[in-house]
Amino acid sequence: MSELDELRHDLVVANRILAHQGVVDGFGHVSARHPYNPERFLLSRSRSPELVTLDDIREFDLSGDMIDPDGSSGYLERFIHAAVYELHPEVNGVVHSHSEALLPFGITSVPLKPVFHNASRMGKEVPVWDIADKFGDTDMLVVNMDHGRDLAETLGDNRLVLMRGHGLTVATEALHTVVTTAIYAMVNARVQTTAMQMGEVKFLSEGEIDAAISKAKTATIGHKRIWEYLSRRAGCEDL
Ligand code: MN
């Protein structure tokens, strides 16, 4: 299998995993930067992630335009992906979702921060982007490159950005890590919310987060193990 075919296959698996884990539902999407052409990325046509197949994967350029358009519709919010890849050359995987557990952290002043080891991949800081700051009253969606670039700027060098009153976007160095980061960010939000109801919360220190992230970058066995587990749970063994 070529690297491109392998990535297309993994992108289908990533869609199924995120749906199975409840990170995305009928809405939300996941993409990967093209392995041979950094000016392009792979993303499904407009379809619910759980239903995505290889035939649904399309290529887009960094303006959000579909390569070789075939009449099928892209996601309205594909500009999130286009702008993040345009502004952040080190990013190779992007997830956009509306995970319920994370929404409170986008509409309050309570910061979302890692509270346990597996969530350290979220990074030290999670900024909140408010579309109204620059664009006033909108329908809240990222529907053009101006919106997307403003979001991508707020993301900065972080791995996760909350979108006020809407959802979040996760961006990391690889498709596999963006999937696990999106999952553990959701779990972290649940644990942090529960812990805050119980009393004062002890967060991971910045040093602990740095150490966990740099260890994870070389932990290839762990990555394979969690990917195999998640894809099996999502029913992808026959794909
Ligand atoms: Mn959205």
Side-chain angles (χ1 to χ4, degrees):
M1 219 194 274
S2 75
E3 199 181 338
L4 177 59
D5 286 342
E6 201 173 325
L7 190 63
R8 285 163 48 85
H9 171 269
D10 281 357
L11 186 56
V12 174
V13 174
N15 272 275
R16 308 275 183 96
I17 288 173
L18 290 168
H20 180 258
Q21 292 289 319
V23 174
V24 295
D25 49 24
F27 300 110
H29 18 87
V30 52
S31 69
R33 194 190 291 270
H34 196 290
Y36 311 141
N37 183 350
E39 303 292 310
R40 291 187 185 180
F41 63 95
L42 308 174
L43 176 71
S44 171
R45 70 188 174 97
S46 182
R47 209 164 182 213
S48 294
E50 186 164 326
L51 308 178
V52 166
T53 68
L54 272 179
D55 290 341
D56 297 315
I57 305 299
R58 303 283 185 275
E59 288 186 20
F60 294 84
D61 66 23
L62 299 192
S63 304
D65 291 327
M66 195 184 288
I67 308 292
D68 301 329
D70 57 2
S72 63
S73 307
Y75 293 116
L76 207 56
E77 294 195 286
R78 60 190 180 277
F79 303 99
I80 294 171
H81 304 262
V84 168
Y85 291 125
E86 179 192 60
L87 250 72
H88 301 292
E90 74 286 2
V91 168
N92 293 308
V94 174
V95 168
H96 169 61
S97 85
H98 313 123
S99 299
E100 186 181 321
L102 286 131
L103 292 179
F105 295 92
I107 56 176
T108 63
S109 58
V110 178
L112 178 73
K113 292 200 295 188
V115 291
F116 69 102
H117 168 255
N118 272 333
S120 58
R121 61 195 86 210
M122 280 164 40
K124 282 180 273 199
E125 202 186 319
V126 178
V128 179
W129 177 69
D130 188 341
I131 193 170
D133 286 347
K134 189 162 180 188
F135 303 102
D137 286 340
T138 64
D139 65 2
M140 306 302 290
L141 301 182
V142 176
V143 294
N144 58 50
M145 284 304 288
D146 286 343
H147 294 162
R149 286 179 182 132
D150 195 47
L151 172 70
E153 273 171 30
T154 302
L155 170 70
D157 291 334
N158 302 293
R159 296 161 67 85
L160 176 59
V161 58
L162 292 163
M163 302 156 74
R164 193 270 303 169
H166 177 176
L168 62 141
T169 296
V170 191
T172 71
E173 62 288 327
L175 177 64
H176 287 212
T177 56
V178 84
V179 167
T180 49
T181 302
I183 292 169
Y184 283 112
M186 181 178 70
V187 178
N188 191 89
R190 289 188 195 131
V191 175
Q192 187 179 336
T193 301
T194 304
M196 289 174 72
Q197 288 161 358
M198 295 169 72
E200 199 179 329
V201 178
K202 188 161 190 178
F203 295 95
L204 295 196
S205 72
E206 297 204 345
E208 286 170 339
I209 295 167
D210 281 340
I213 288 179
S214 75
K215 181 87 171 280
K217 282 187 177 153
T218 57
T220 49
I221 292 173
H223 288 315
K224 276 187 190 152
R225 193 170 80 193
I226 187 72
W227 189 261
E228 183 185 30
Y229 165 79
L230 290 168
S231 54
R232 185 70 63 91
R233 291 290 309 271
C236 293
E237 59 267 32
D238 298 328
L239 272 177

